């Protein structure tokens, strides 16, 4: 088996862009758990990190919106946003087109997957990379799930994508780490930015931790919108990671609502020992 | 109403520094290349962030346009709140639902 690490994390732009405005203790808690995740990923000596993200109209728009897209580029660039706004310097990020092609070819057997040989990362991928691969040395393979432009990718398809990714990883010798990144409840970039439904978040994370497919896939978009806001649609990325780790359970390393970051900041991982 | 093209313009501005340069030099010329109503062009030109928000521009796009027009984060949030007061509820899109107020 070649899936060596599977985790989840937040990616809200405030985490770096408005870093100083949070309660320092909470910020430290979040940052140190990002660091813990970096060390955990490094310890597994991965050949590549697959980042399952939910981007925000940096590359994909309603003129041609894929339900799923995977990168197949030699290099990526990011952040697409203003460097000062996000407080992350622009970088060239190494890809791995051969490995991408192998994975895409296998995943396509199960999922209608788009691919992209150009991709400018937005905060949805850059904020995690800023903490997880700060030297930009590890090959990155980005994945996008449409969580922004309705009709959105159905949850059960996000799960299936995770399964297909796992199946593909199991067939190759390369060591793959995967991180799903999204928010749980949040109302980002609205007048109510900063509102977080902590109870709803904790309830979701409990289901994620137990890797309870039935519970995770029973969410309805209308309810997610009501209880978790438009940012809540990003649970698709966490659900994909759970799908990739079917049969395993996980742990939540950190969860805290940090209003100025506009999201309940989350770091967690699946325990792959039973695979 | 051509919300799609309002958003398309902002999407393009986010991706293309050359377009930003052109936009700053000749806003009218750039706007003319999109199917926009006069009211939309005015809202973009001014900019009336509150009106763009109420018209349904997705916040993930709008926050960058606000930043491009030199709105600080708190001013951007305030502009949307002012828009709600002045123009009523958001008319379209997923960014209409507010969470009931917080920071
Ligand atoms: Fe997001």
């Amino acid at each position: 088996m070649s899936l060596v690490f599977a985790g989840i994390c937040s990616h809200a732009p405030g985490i770096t862009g408005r870093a100083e405005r949070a309660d320092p203790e909470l910020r430290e808690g979040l940052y140190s758990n990002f660091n813990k995740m970096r060390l955990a990923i490094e310890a597994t000596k991965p050949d590549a990190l697959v980042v399952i993200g939910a981007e925000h109209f940096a590359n994909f728009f309603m003129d041609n919106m894929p339900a799923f897209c995977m990168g197949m580029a030699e290099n990526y660039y990011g952040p697409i946003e203003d460097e000062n706004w996000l407080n992350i310097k622009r970088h060239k990020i190494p890809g791995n087109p051969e490995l991408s092609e192998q994975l895409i070819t296998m995943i396509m057997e199960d999922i209608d997957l788009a691919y992209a040989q150009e991709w400018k990362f937005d905060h949805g991928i850059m904020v995690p990379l800023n903490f997880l691969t700060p030297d930009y040395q590890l090959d990155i393979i980005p994945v996008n799930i449409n969580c922004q432009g309705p009709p959105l990718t159905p949850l059960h398809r996000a799960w299936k994508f995770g399964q297909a990714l796992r199946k593909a990883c199991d067939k190759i010798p390369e060591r793959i780490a995967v991180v799903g990144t999204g928010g749980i409840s949040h109302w980002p970039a609205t007048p109510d930015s900063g509102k977080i439904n902590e109870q709803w978040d904790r309830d979701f994370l409990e289901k994620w931790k137990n890797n309870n497919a039935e519970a995770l896939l029973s969410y309805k978009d209308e309810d997610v919108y009501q209880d978790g806001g438009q940012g809540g649609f990003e649970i698709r990325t966490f659900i994909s990671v759970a799908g990739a780790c079917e049969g395993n359970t996980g742990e939540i390393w950190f969860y805290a609502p940090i209003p100025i970051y506009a999201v309940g900041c989350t770091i967690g991982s699946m325990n792959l020992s039973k695979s | 109403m051509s919300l799609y093209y309002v958003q398309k313009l902002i999407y393009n501005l986010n991706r293309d520094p050359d377009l930003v340069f052109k936009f700053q030099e000749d806003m009218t010329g750039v706007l003319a290349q999109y199917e926009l109503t006069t009211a939309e062009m005015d809202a973009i030109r001014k900019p009336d962030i509150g009106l763009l928000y109420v018209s349904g521009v997705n916040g993930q796009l709008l926050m960058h346009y606000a930043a491009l027009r030199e709105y600080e984060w708190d001013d951007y949030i305030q502009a949307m709140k002012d828009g709600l007061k002045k123009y009523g509820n958001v008319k379209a899109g997923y960014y209409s639902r507010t969470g009931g107020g917080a920071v």
Side-chain angles (χ1 to χ4, degrees):
Chain A
M1 82 103 189
S2 67
L3 190 63
V4 293
F5 179 86
I8 53 170
C9 70
S10 306
H11 65 229
I15 292 173
T16 50
R18 298 187 291 279
E20 300 309 318
R21 294 181 62 184
D23 176 338
E25 215 170 292
L26 291 178
R27 183 183 61 232
E28 265 326 293
L30 173 64
Y31 279 30
S32 63
N33 276 283
F34 260 126
N35 198 42
K36 181 178 157 186
M37 182 177 268
R38 175 179 67 80
L39 294 170
I41 291 171
E42 285 172 1
T44 63
K45 302 203 180 329
D47 295 304
L49 171 64
V50 174
V51 182
I52 304 178
E55 72 139 47
H56 319 78
F57 305 117
N59 305 270
F60 309 108
F61 192 69
M62 281 72 78
D63 55 351
N64 189 359
M65 179 64 84
F68 299 98
C69 187
M70 195 168 205
M72 198 167 74
E74 186 82 45
N75 291 296
Y76 304 94
Y77 298 88
I80 193 169
E81 294 98 339
D82 184 78
E83 291 174 310
N84 296 323
W85 181 83
L86 191 59
N87 197 20
I88 296 178
K89 285 259 165 282
R90 208 148 280 155
H91 287 278
K92 180 162 142 181
I93 299 119
N96 187 329
E98 297 78 23
L99 186 54
S100 283
E101 187 175 343
Q102 272 188 301
L103 290 173
I104 291 163
T105 305
M106 288 187 280
I107 293 170
M108 273 182 174
E109 295 290 332
D110 300 311
I111 293 283
D112 296 322
L113 177 67
Y115 63 83
Q117 287 187 271
E118 274 184 60
W119 196 315
K120 294 177 181 173
F121 293 167
D122 74 6
H123 66 268
I125 289 182
M126 287 311 290
V127 170
L129 294 188
N130 174 67
F131 294 100
L132 301 178
T133 61
D135 302 330
Y136 300 95
Q137 294 295 323
L138 181 61
D139 290 350
I140 302 299
I141 299 179
V143 172
N144 191 59
I145 302 178
N146 175 21
C147 304
Q148 282 292 344
L152 305 178
T153 308
L155 297 190
H156 67 97
R157 298 297 292 164
W159 176 273
K160 282 258 193 276
F161 174 82
Q163 285 180 313
L165 172 66
R166 175 56 178 273
K167 201 166 115 187
C169 289
D170 284 345
K171 288 184 183 156
I172 54 173
E174 284 85 354
R175 302 170 63 81
I176 308 291
V178 61
V179 169
T181 173
I184 325 179
S185 71
H186 61 312
W187 286 257
T190 74
D192 297 304
S193 171
K195 178 176 165 124
I196 293 155
N197 186 345
E198 181 173 353
Q199 195 44 53
W200 191 82
D201 284 358
R202 290 192 184 278
D203 188 57
F204 175 83
L205 289 176
E206 190 65 21
K207 291 167 182 164
W208 186 84
K209 194 174 82 167
N210 297 329
N211 207 341
N212 183 338
E214 206 188 322
L216 286 172
L217 301 184
S218 69
Y219 284 90
K220 300 271 168 288
D221 275 347
E222 308 83 77
D223 301 331
V224 171
Y225 192 36
Q226 179 74 29
D227 300 326
Q230 48 286 101
F233 295 136
E234 293 181 347
I235 58 173
R236 284 159 174 77
T237 63
F238 290 9
I239 286 175
S240 264
V241 172
C245 302
E246 200 174 14
N248 296 114
T249 56
E251 333 170 0
I252 302 306
W253 299 357
F254 182 83
Y255 173 82
I258 305 184
I260 191 64
Y261 296 169
V263 75
C265 294
T266 308
I267 309 268
S269 76
M270 282 290 177
N271 179 355
L272 293 170
S273 60
K274 273 190 263 165
S275 306
Chain B
M1 183 62 208
S2 38
L3 177 60
Y4 175 82
Y5 285 107
V6 175
Q7 298 193 105
K8 184 75 187 278
L9 167 64
I10 300 176
Y11 164 79
N12 285 338
L13 285 170
N14 283 344
R15 289 181 55 79
D16 183 359
D18 290 343
L19 182 64
V20 171
F21 182 74
K22 259 188 237 157
F23 185 72
Q24 280 161 345
E25 294 286 293
D26 176 21
M27 210 174 271
T28 307
V30 171
L31 288 173
Q33 292 170 17
Y34 293 79
E35 285 176 35
L36 301 168
T37 64
T38 312
E40 286 162 350
M41 288 194 202
D42 289 345
I44 294 167
R45 205 180 283 123
K46 212 172 164 189
D48 189 338
I49 298 296
L51 180 56
L52 292 170
Y53 171 65
V54 168
S55 306
V57 174
N58 186 300
Q60 297 291 346
L61 290 161
L62 188 58
M63 69 174 169
H64 297 307
Y65 186 62
L68 176 68
R69 300 300 298 271
E70 294 176 358
Y71 277 63
E72 292 296 328
W73 182 252
D74 294 338
D75 298 334
Y76 162 63
I77 300 288
Q78 190 57 46
M80 288 187 291
K81 288 181 180 167
D82 294 346
L84 288 172
K85 253 188 228 143
K86 194 164 168 193
Y87 303 112
N89 287 336
V90 178
K91 293 172 182 59
Y94 267 164
Y95 278 67
S96 57
R97 178 163 180 83
T98 64
V103 170

